[in-house]
Amino acid sequence: MGKTIIKVNNLRKKFDNVEVLTGITEDIDEGEVVVVIGPSGSGKSTFLRCLNLLETPDGGEVIIDGDQINLPGTDVDRLRRKMGMVFQHFNLFPHLTVLENITLAPEKVNGLTAEEAKKKAMDLLERVGLTEKANEYPASLSGGQKQRIAIARALAMDPEIMLFDEPTSALDPEMVGEVLDVMKKLAKHGMTMVVVTHEMGFAREVGTRLLFIDEGKVLEKGTPNEVLNEPKQERTKAFLSKVLI
Amino acid sequence: MSEWWAGVVDTFERCFVNEGRYMLLVNGIGVTIKVSLLAMVIGVIIGFLIALCNLSDKKPLNVIGKVYTDVIRGTPSVTQLMIIYFVVFATINWSKWIIAAIAFGINSGAYVSEIIRAGIMSIDKGQTEAGRSLGLSAKQTMMLIIVPQAVKNIFPAFGNEFITLIKETAIVGYVGLMDIQKAGDFIKSATYQAFMPLVGTAIIYFVLIKILTVALGKYEKRLRRSEIR
């Protein structure tokens, strides 16, 4: 394993008066695929969204590649460029074609020429197997295709870390596989990934480490084998007994 | 019957033909269009800025936006027009129609800002998050992702506002501009005829707005086409 790339210290987050994260401390190394599981409302998505500051933590620190992201005065945009994010509901830009969705940020943020950005986008589309959709609008794609495009869009910024927020939860069952395949390939290429998911098969196969979050805390962690097959906490056992059928 | 008809033709000639009075209306149409168009441009610019103030997370900007909309919506447009013309621009020697357009633009801006605000808020939060997570700045996200989508949503409401604006300008006579309404009024006074000049005025406004409505409808359809596939 490489150096620590994400460092989270005593992360806290409240929504109104409800404590969603009650103190999470976790280091994530380069090349790790950390899979975050837990019941809904446990705070796992909030944890992920705090990493790139889509949610502002109420306490603690999030350090990305040596820079604390939740400090006033930090260039958040610069740190966000190191992290690609994939959302449950894809969030493709409906007014842009697939190609434009992918080239937008590299052109506007990284200053690539239209030609460079297009070449890069076509390479990425090939990786996710959707070159023929380059000039279509998102509305004409299936859910699985949308999510693969969303992954390509995030990768176009050459991120060092990829964050996945329940990437397959909004998909029809027959489309889950195609998205997981893309993610598996990504993991194999050594991408650092933090994945919030309910796909235990993916967790087992690809995850280097599992975090079980409940009530805003990391209740249990370890290799997929340790957490899924030999859980120590009662709550983990109860949760797994419901999802591992 | 023919006597009645002769009377109608006679009145028509007195109202619109004699002494080239139709030119008053033709020029009036020009004034109405000039004032409305410039006011619309000013209104959109002000409306966008005020909408951004209202949507900002900075308190002072919220206050500016709120006070602006409150004051404009809480006072009659005639009063606003007269204040702008006789007070604010009292010592500035600009063309009347430009000053009037500024007044109407300021007025329309308050309404446009509400339309734009609603349009921007109708865009899913995920769009902003996707933009920001890619490293786009807040401004880039707004201009490249949110606004282009919002424009499609607000277009119908925006067309309505423009139509309202054109009709609103019928009060520019108060500051001595000869628009369609004032021209009709002038003919009424000059000929002692009420029916024809006033109904004629109404017809001209109606036709203008009908043309605009049809054009807007066509354009809206074209805007939608790129989205639905």
Side-chain angles (χ1 to χ4, degrees):
Chain A
M1 282 297 137
K3 59 168 181 154
T4 301
I5 191 160
I6 302 175
K7 211 171 166 56
V8 179
N9 276 329
N10 195 25
L11 177 63
R12 290 169 176 278
K13 174 71 187 171
K14 270 193 291 197
F15 287 120
D16 295 322
N17 283 321
V18 185
E19 288 222 289
V20 187
L21 299 179
T22 53
I24 291 185
T25 299
E26 201 58 58
D27 288 353
I28 295 171
D29 290 341
E30 251 177 0
E32 269 198 293
V33 177
V34 175
V35 179
V36 184
I37 59 172
S40 21
S42 60
K44 52 193 192 309
S45 279
T46 307
F47 166 68
L48 193 74
R49 291 161 58 83
C50 280
L51 296 182
N52 68 350
L53 221 64
L54 284 185
E55 303 291 352
T56 313
D58 291 313
E61 19 182 51
V62 176
I63 297 162
I64 304 296
D65 205 10
D67 292 311
Q68 186 173 344
I69 194 167
N70 63 328
L71 266 189
T74 307
D75 185 353
V76 178
D77 291 338
R78 184 179 66 84
L79 291 179
R80 278 188 178 137
R81 276 170 236 158
K82 300 186 182 191
M83 290 176 277
M85 185 157 196
V86 175
F87 300 85
Q88 181 177 357
H89 296 288
F90 330 124
N91 297 346
L92 292 180
F93 307 131
H95 62 301
L96 301 177
T97 63
V98 164
L99 191 65
E100 290 164 343
N101 261 276
I102 303 176
T103 56
L104 179 74
E107 277 183 43
K108 301 292 175 184
V109 178
N110 287 351
L112 264 60
T113 65
E115 212 164 312
E116 291 166 338
K118 186 178 173 190
K119 188 181 171 305
K120 178 167 221 162
M122 292 311 291
D123 286 348
L124 285 164
L125 281 175
E126 191 162 352
R127 263 170 83 179
V128 299
L130 288 170
T131 35
E132 76 281 5
K133 300 288 184 190
N135 294 314
E136 309 250 336
Y137 282 86
S140 66
L141 304 178
S142 73
Q145 291 170 335
K146 281 182 194 169
Q147 197 60 300
R148 282 144 72 196
I149 300 295
I151 295 172
R153 178 177 71 177
L155 289 174
M157 291 297 287
D158 296 321
E160 294 167 37
I161 304 159
M162 283 288 283
L163 310 174
F164 293 84
D165 189 3
E166 303 202 27
T168 58
S169 297
L171 296 178
D172 290 337
E174 75 266 27
M175 292 170 181
V176 170
E178 60 188 74
V179 172
L180 291 181
D181 282 345
V182 171
M183 292 168 64
K184 283 176 199 165
K185 258 197 265 172
L186 208 52
K188 218 173 278 169
H189 281 91
M191 175 65 76
T192 310
M193 294 162 66
V194 185
V195 185
V196 171
T197 187
H198 295 292
E199 295 294 329
M200 296 303 153
F202 175 84
R204 197 187 299 271
E205 189 185 336
V206 186
T208 54
R209 200 146 58 93
L210 236 64
L211 306 179
F212 174 72
I213 292 188
D214 194 18
E215 293 182 340
K217 270 195 178 59
V218 178
L219 218 55
E220 186 149 2
K221 57 180 156 181
T223 64
N225 187 42
E226 284 165 354
V227 177
L228 295 177
N229 298 342
E230 301 146 23
K232 294 177 193 71
Q233 306 282 337
E234 283 309 314
R235 298 197 63 101
T236 322
K237 285 180 198 167
F239 172 74
L240 290 175
S241 72
K242 280 179 214 145
V243 294
L244 291 176
I245 308 167
Chain B
M1 179 67 198
S2 65
E3 211 169 295
W4 174 81
W5 180 247
V8 170
V9 171
D10 180 54
T11 317
F12 185 88
E13 278 180 355
R14 259 201 290 151
C15 288
F16 300 123
V17 183
N18 290 358
E19 299 171 36
R21 289 210 180 91
Y22 65 91
M23 276 315 290
L24 292 171
L25 287 166
V26 171
N27 291 336
I29 294 173
V31 170
T32 296
I33 291 177
K34 266 197 314 196
V35 171
S36 303
L37 279 179
L38 182 59
M40 180 189 70
V41 173
I42 295 170
V44 169
I45 294 168
I46 292 179
F48 186 63
L49 294 177
I50 295 296
L52 289 184
C53 285
N54 282 330
L55 289 166
S56 162
D57 48 13
K58 295 192 179 70
K59 262 268 139 53
L61 290 179
N62 293 165
V63 173
I64 292 174
K66 183 151 175 29
V67 168
Y68 187 91
T69 350
D70 258 13
V71 169
I72 296 296
R73 293 208 289 196
T75 53
S77 32
V78 184
T79 317
Q80 293 163 16
L81 171 68
M82 292 176 78
I83 289 176
I84 299 287
Y85 188 84
F86 293 111
V87 181
V88 179
F89 281 88
T91 56
I92 298 170
N93 194 20
W94 286 5
S95 295
K96 279 183 182 181
W97 75 272
I98 291 179
I99 299 173
I102 291 172
F104 286 112
I106 289 172
N107 177 277
S108 184
Y111 297 91
V112 171
S113 79
E114 287 299 293
I115 295 171
I116 292 179
R117 190 171 73 113
I120 288 175
M121 278 168 54
S122 72
I123 305 299
D124 183 57
K125 216 175 114 229
Q127 293 289 310
T128 307
E129 292 183 349
R132 298 307 303 275
S133 78
L134 286 166
L136 294 168
S137 67
K139 198 171 142 198
Q140 285 174 318
T141 305
M142 182 59 79
M143 297 314 293
L144 298 169
I145 294 167
I146 307 301
V147 170
Q149 294 181 58
V151 165
K152 282 179 196 170
N153 290 352
I154 67 183
F155 199 77
F158 185 70
N160 281 340
E161 171 56 23
F162 187 41
I163 286 167
T164 307
L165 174 63
I166 292 175
K167 291 185 289 183
E168 272 298 79
T169 63
I171 57 171
V172 288
Y174 275 90
V175 297
L177 268 169
M178 187 75 97
D179 69 328
I180 303 168
Q181 175 66 40
K182 189 70 192 172
D185 190 44
F186 184 88
I187 294 170
K188 183 190 75 146
S189 312
T191 59
Y192 302 107
Q193 291 288 335
F195 180 81
M196 276 212 189
L198 294 181
V199 171
T201 302
I203 291 172
I204 294 173
Y205 275 112
F206 181 79
V207 170
L208 267 185
I209 284 162
K210 195 75 204 164
I211 293 171
L212 184 67
T213 314
V214 171
L216 285 172
K218 285 233 168 86
Y219 188 64
E220 192 191 333
K221 241 188 209 159
R222 233 183 56 193
L223 269 184
R224 296 260 162 229
R225 205 176 299 154
S226 71
E227 202 170 322
I228 306 162
R229 299 209 144 215

